[in-house]
Every structure is written in C-alpha cells, then in structure tokens.
Amino acid sequence: MEASHINALHNKHAGLERRIAEELKSPHPDPVTLQALKRHKLRIRDQIAHH
C-alpha cells in the first residue's frame, strides 16, 4: 500500500512538472497558474519526503 501511494505521488509530481513546462512554453504564460502549479508540486514533494 505504501509503495503504491508513493508511486502515485511521483506520478502526480511528474504530471505537474509537465503542466508547468507546457505553461512556460505558451506565448503568454499565466503567472497565477504557474504559481499554483508550483505550490502544488512543492506540496507533493513534501509528501514524498515525509514517507
């Protein structure tokens, strides 16, 4: 159970990295969206670190 939870967190983290990269590639990246995505990514990273 624990390993699958950590794998799910890693997958979410990777997905957020892709979404951030996509937003940065857009002609006019939305700073609010980027900030929200980065915060979410940091929360996921913290959850991974605490397991």
Side-chain angles (χ1 to χ4, degrees):
M1 176 77 174
E2 189 74 23
S4 65
H5 180 66
I6 292 173
N7 285 337
L9 290 174
H10 280 288
N11 289 338
K12 286 182 184 180
H13 190 268
L16 287 166
E17 285 182 345
R18 283 190 299 274
R19 289 177 61 194
I20 290 168
E22 289 171 10
E23 184 66 30
L24 288 171
K25 288 179 189 176
S26 74
H28 302 287
D30 180 18
V32 175
T33 300
L34 282 170
Q35 185 179 30
L37 290 170
K38 288 178 180 182
R39 279 191 190 139
H40 193 158
K41 184 179 148 189
L42 286 174
R43 282 195 300 266
I44 299 292
R45 187 189 69 188
D46 288 344
Q47 289 177 2
I48 292 169
H50 287 110
H51 279 83

